[in-house]
Amino acid sequence: MTDFKSLGLSDKILKALEKTNLTTPTPIQAQAIPHIMQGRDLMGLAQTGTGKTAAFGLPLMHRLLDLGHPPGPRNVRALILAPTRELTTQIRDNLEMFSKGTAVSIAMVVGGASINKQSDRLKRGADVLVATPGRLIDLLEREAVSLEKCAYLVLDEADHMLDMGFIHALKKIAKHIPLRRQTLLFSATMPKDIEDIASTYLRDPVRVQVSPPGKPADKITQGVHFIPNGDKARLLEDYLKKHPGEQALVFGRTKHGSEKLMKLLAAWGFKAGSIHGNKSQNQRDRTLTEFKSGQLDVLVATDVAARGIDIPTVRHVYNYDMPNVPENYVHRIGRTARAGAEGSSISFCAPIEMDELKAIEKVLKKAIPVVGGAPWSTEAIALAGPKPGQNRGGGQGRGRPPQVRGQAGAVKPFGAKPAGAKPQSARPQGQRPAAAKPMGAGAGKPPRRAGGGGQSRPAR
């Protein structure tokens, strides 16, 4: 199949597609759309950036067009659930583009916006409702929306939707939806335990997989740079200066650390913004708009943004902090090399993050190429901070400065000044010294290991 017309889509949808840059179906679209149009339940696995929204959105629009009458007050015909506000907005925007010129109505509900305005919007019903779980539950409890006539359920980023942070919310919502429905699950990764849970929501599903689960897009150049935690900010500055004018997305672990890093980059002259769980919805929307329009060159974010940014101009992704969940690495770096473009991803790995790196490489089933420094020794890891399971100190261990192996192999405190010598950092050989006073997100204050980015609980 070489074009969308051969997939059997209606002429109205084909006309709407003519006004987009979508001309040839991607593999996930070509394989999934025919099954969905036949009414089959489906589990779709494909790399981030390969067009999964169109894979479920186009056939959904096609099937809704056949109904020919409005949904009725407060009724919803199709429900699409997504884990973050950013991803929900992205899906809504795409569906509105696909349905332009048709009578299909799209509504969106997310936390951080006026629930009264959302209730008023739902009074006239919607063919498609795109929602985050928390806000949808709020509206269901208010009886502002009914799912009794909902015939389609779509879970985007299903692995995240079904993990422990969302499973209870999903069960609560599922009780309001008829059992006779078509259910579609899409994701870039699908761990075995999550797949088992997903199978309980699917009836005789078709499995469409166009690449190994967890495999990043082929056009992403990956690398890892081994660097002490306190030197990361200056290293990031070096990388950003190598690509002036090219947009970069920087991922941090915590809300506080990401905000601090953004302010530091702004003080150094970069056009930087941030999005994380401490930002209001209006603030997050405004920052994303500025990033999309090119007013910002650098966006610092927690994992709340890993699954909701579709900006083709992002050329570089930097994992300032390694992700706690290895599958999140795939979603993070998938923010670049969108729609066939090329991109790069560099991960900064401190001694206490070696376990995270190993877990990521296990998911990828290959080692990430080393672009700077050298893998930390067991001794350096042990001396760098608390044991696994203890509260991390961002490189600080119970009031003592972390110790790392020096160039000559001697163990010394990071930042210590040898007699008669100028201060030097423990930066891997070949990198210029860091500032005398360590600067960077999380310096001097221990980041929490998980939950700091607001991504461990259902979005409201």
Side-chain angles (χ1 to χ4, degrees), residues 133 160-170 455-459:
H160 198 47
M161 291 297 300
L162 292 172
D163 70 16
M164 292 308 292
F166 288 90
I167 186 62
H168 299 298
L170 180 58
Q455 64 272 28
S456 61
R457 60 181 180 178

Side-chain angles (χ1 to χ4, degrees), residues 47 201 275 339 427:
Q47 298 165 337
Y201 290 90
I275 58 173
R427 182 187 297 277

